[in-house]
Amino acid sequence: MWLAETSIKRPVFATMFITALVVLGLVSYPEIGVDLYPKVEFPIVSINTQLKGASPEIMDIDVTDKIEEAISTINGVKTITSSSMESVSNITVEFVLERNIDLAVQDVREKVSTIRSKLPTDVLEPVIQKVDPDATPVLWLMVTGSQSVRDLSTYTNEILKEQLQRIEGVGALRLAGMRLRQGRIWLDTDKLRAYQIAPGDVAQALGRENVELPGGRIESATKEYSIKIKGEFPRIQDFNDLIVAYYKGAPVRIRDIGRAEDGMEEKRNLARFNGKPCIGIGIQKQTGTNTVAIIDGVKKELSNIRKTVPPGMEINIAFDQSNFINRSINEVKGHLIIGGLLAVLAVFLFLRNWRTTLISAVALPVSVIATFTIMKAFDFTFNNMSMLALSLSVGILIDDAIIVIENIYRHIEEGMEPREAAAFATSEIGLAVMATTLAIVAIFLPVAFMKGIIGRFFWQFALTVVFSVMVSLIVSFTLTPMMASRFLKRKAHKTKALVPSRFSLLSRIGDGLEKAYKTTEDAYRRVLELSLKYRKTVLLLALVIFIFSLYITKFIGKEFVPAEDQGQFLVRMEAPIDYSIDQANELFTKGEVIVKSFPEVSWVFYIQGFAAGGVGQINKTTLVTGLKKKAERNKSQEQLKAEIRRKINEIPGIKGTAEDISLIGGGIRNVPIQYAIRGLDLDTLQSYTKQITSEFAKRPGIVDVDSTLEAGKPELKVF
């Protein structure tokens, strides 16, 4: 064991080597980000296409079918799912996990571009992007005040949005409840008929007259001037003087057939915070950036922005994902520290010598801190998986040092000098220590190469365990024998009490523990002798227990992510599909009042008709519900969800669900089970879907049964 001998002969070398690892770990620690889960890329591409005013049938036939046909030939496509709604077509393409997602996105864009000319002329350019877990807003801000929604929207759009986008790491912004200023022309049907003017004539006149065009340039002998034709109306009221057409030789103006109004955009979405109208700003982080760092940066800049907010306006935080992340990670950190202290205490109770306990315990913080260096090098973050690995490793990291120090201690008791015992004992036990450590590596390293999405999540977990135990092996071959050769004394005895007085409390505890160890050792010896006497019976019994253990796994529940009390959840409500936005809002307000009536609820953020990256449906709303701290409420999150779900579904006309906030998956709904029901006839499919959902709803333990098939919206057909 040349490394141990070198460390004993050159203690400064061993000290500086370990100190270098610790310093690198301490420097790396602040640079490691904090997140809830490891960064995982899902092999999924979404295609969003919009055609204003088109019915779901038109979107399905003229848009969705043509795009699906084009992308179905791409290599590596696993499944294609689509939904066609009013004005919107959403297609989700899932690729095999081994497919490079960036190249897959390029292939999808190329295929869609080949059929772009076959799509309707008025369709907007399809938006093609990979489904990114970072696409979910990590922070929601609310802008409230005594001003009108129009003033709040104008300030948010023209000033606040730009200030937030300048913050490092901030990606897209999602704006809910916005109604910007918009010029509107109201036409009188009777007057149009009297002047024999069609609405299309008015639209053509507006496009022809209200326009600003380049006029070229004028050159002189010494100067050059650019010409700009100012054809746009400076004020909304000036549109009333616009000549639309001529009737019997007289000009017909806008004021003759209607009026121009300085109004707002059409009301298609609403936002409220605790019942008060607001503008919601969802902040999405840039791909690959750290959630907690981005939110902290926004909060810091927000303190400066608040100083410039107009009087009467306020900017507050409605939803903060970092609260749950910090709370979860801090809990694990606390358990990590407690676990380390308990491990050291266990060593002291068995060795009953403060010198040997200190030497073996040094390996624990050194190994953990040194692991931070490798975590930073591999761009890992402090998340549930990596912290789970460190917590699991606490009991393992100290094992190597205990084995080495115990062997050194035994040889010192037998009469060797500490320096000689440190070298000889480490060399004697070195192969066993290496075998123990490499066995742990052999167990956890294959976990890092698991297939599927599960394997992507366990990548950081497995490598963190491997890194930490390898560092502990190095420490046990360098720092542990060096310290043992310097600090252990030949006169030390294994049963020596910490306090010399035989009648002291610690001495009596030590004697009691020694008796307990002796009793346990004798019992184990008898069991071991019995096992060696009946080898075949023991092997057969072990085999039976192993088989029985495999059998009972079928009765153990299985899930990807366990349920957690986040202190916040989503309440979704759906009104009949033919309801207007105001009628649906009136109905949803009843559900909002029910949610706010629970004393455990701290705040409610109401969003109606909003969909990130698409056109929202006005008959659907989402209530982001925040709860008081767990210690301040008597009911758990699951109990509140069940009660709120039951009470909301008692309201006639509302279909309500309650679910946890999905913190992974790019904003995909947190639904554990999904079925795809396929068929050629839509009416038959709708009938089967109703039967299936009604049967599922009767099953115990199943809640929030829903389907994506929505029909029944009334239409007016013009021939």
Side-chain angles (χ1 to χ4, degrees), residues 46-66:
S46 68
I47 308 170
N48 179 275
T49 312
Q50 298 183 23
L51 178 60
K52 291 186 178 181
S55 65
E57 291 81 4
I58 295 297
M59 294 300 301
D60 183 50
I61 297 172
D62 293 347
V63 179
T64 303
D65 284 349
K66 294 180 180 179

Side-chain angles (χ1 to χ4, degrees), residues 13 47 93 202 246 508 612 652:
F13 161 76
I47 308 170
V93 187
V202 180
Y246 289 87
R508 290 198 300 271

Side-chain angles (χ1 to χ4, degrees), residues 6 18 37 50 73 92 105 139 146 150 173 214 231 236 252 305 339 374 385-386 428 480-481 493 658:
T6 303
I18 298 300
Y37 294 104
Q50 298 183 23
T73 58
T92 302
V105 172
L139 184 70
S146 56
R150 170 172 159 173
L173 298 181
I236 297 294
V252 180
I305 294 175
I374 310 177
M385 303 308 297
S386 60
E428 183 182 46
T480 300
H493 192 269

Side-chain angles (χ1 to χ4, degrees), residues 3-14:
L3 188 58
E5 293 179 0
T6 303
S7 301
I8 295 170
K9 294 178 181 179
R10 301 286 187 270
V12 176
F13 161 76

Side-chain angles (χ1 to χ4, degrees), residues 244-517:
V244 176
Y246 289 87
Y247 180 72
K248 296 181 179 180
V252 180
R253 305 177 187 275
I254 291 289
R255 71 162 67 93
D256 299 324
I257 55 176
R259 59 184 173 85
E261 178 187 77
D262 189 354
M264 294 189 295
E265 290 179 331
E266 186 181 4
K267 186 196 296 186
R268 299 299 294 177
N269 65 86
L270 298 172
R272 290 195 296 269
F273 188 81
N274 285 340
K276 188 177 181 180
C278 71
I279 305 298
I281 307 174
I283 297 178
Q284 175 184 325
K285 66 176 184 176
Q286 293 176 355
T287 302
T289 54
N290 179 250
T291 301
V292 175
I294 299 304
I295 294 178
D296 289 342
V298 173
K299 289 180 179 178
K300 183 178 179 181
E301 184 63 25
L302 201 58
S303 61
N304 298 324
I305 294 175
R306 287 193 177 106
K307 299 176 183 178
T308 63
V309 173
M313 284 191 191
E314 292 182 359
I315 305 175
N316 294 303
I317 296 175
F319 166 74
D320 184 355
Q321 194 179 100
S322 67
N323 289 337
F324 177 66
I325 295 175
N326 284 326
R327 190 166 64 247
S328 300
I329 300 302
N330 289 336
E331 283 287 330
V332 180
K333 286 182 179 179
H335 295 160
L336 178 62
I337 295 173
I338 294 174
L341 294 175
L342 291 176
V344 174
L345 179 61
V347 172
F348 178 75
L349 291 176
F350 278 91
L351 297 181
R352 297 199 300 135
N353 184 285
W354 70 270
R355 291 178 183 270
T356 54
T357 301
L358 178 63
I359 294 172
S360 58
V362 166
L364 189 56
V366 169
S367 300
V368 172
I369 295 174
T371 304
F372 296 157
T373 306
I374 310 177
M375 290 178 65
K376 179 63 175 67
F378 279 76
D379 200 25
F380 287 1
T381 60
F382 289 127
N383 53 69
N384 278 351
M385 303 308 297
S386 60
M387 294 302 295
L388 174 64
L390 291 176
S391 301
L392 178 66
S393 302
V394 165
I396 302 175
L397 298 180
I398 204 171
D399 287 351
D400 294 339
I402 291 175
I403 296 173
V404 173
I405 195 68
E406 200 279 334
N407 201 42
I408 295 173
Y409 195 57
R410 180 173 62 85
H411 283 287
I412 292 177
E413 283 186 320
E414 293 174 355
M416 281 190 180
E417 291 293 329
R419 182 177 260 187
E420 180 186 1
F424 179 79
T426 305
S427 176
E428 183 182 46
I429 206 71
L431 189 60
V433 174
M434 289 182 61
T436 303
T437 304
L438 294 179
I440 296 173
V441 172
I443 292 172
F444 284 96
L445 190 59
V447 176
F449 300 97
M450 289 172 59
K451 299 295 183 181
I453 293 295
I454 301 293
R456 301 289 178 90
F457 276 90
F458 276 89
W459 164 260
Q460 294 192 20
F461 167 80
L463 291 187
T464 301
V465 173
V466 171
F467 295 155
S468 59
V469 296
M470 291 302 295
V471 172
S472 72
L473 178 65
I474 296 174
V475 172
S476 65
F477 284 162
T478 55
L479 190 64
T480 300
M482 186 275 291
M483 293 182 66
S485 67
R486 291 297 187 274
F487 296 110
L488 293 184
K489 305 300 181 183
R490 186 176 180 180
K491 62 180 181 180
H493 192 269
K494 189 173 183 180
T495 60
K496 180 182 178 181
L498 186 64
V499 181
S501 175
R502 179 171 180 80
F503 299 101
S504 66
L505 177 62
L506 290 178
S507 179
R508 290 198 300 271
I509 294 175
D511 292 341
L513 290 173
E514 187 66 26
K515 292 180 180 178
Y517 299 154

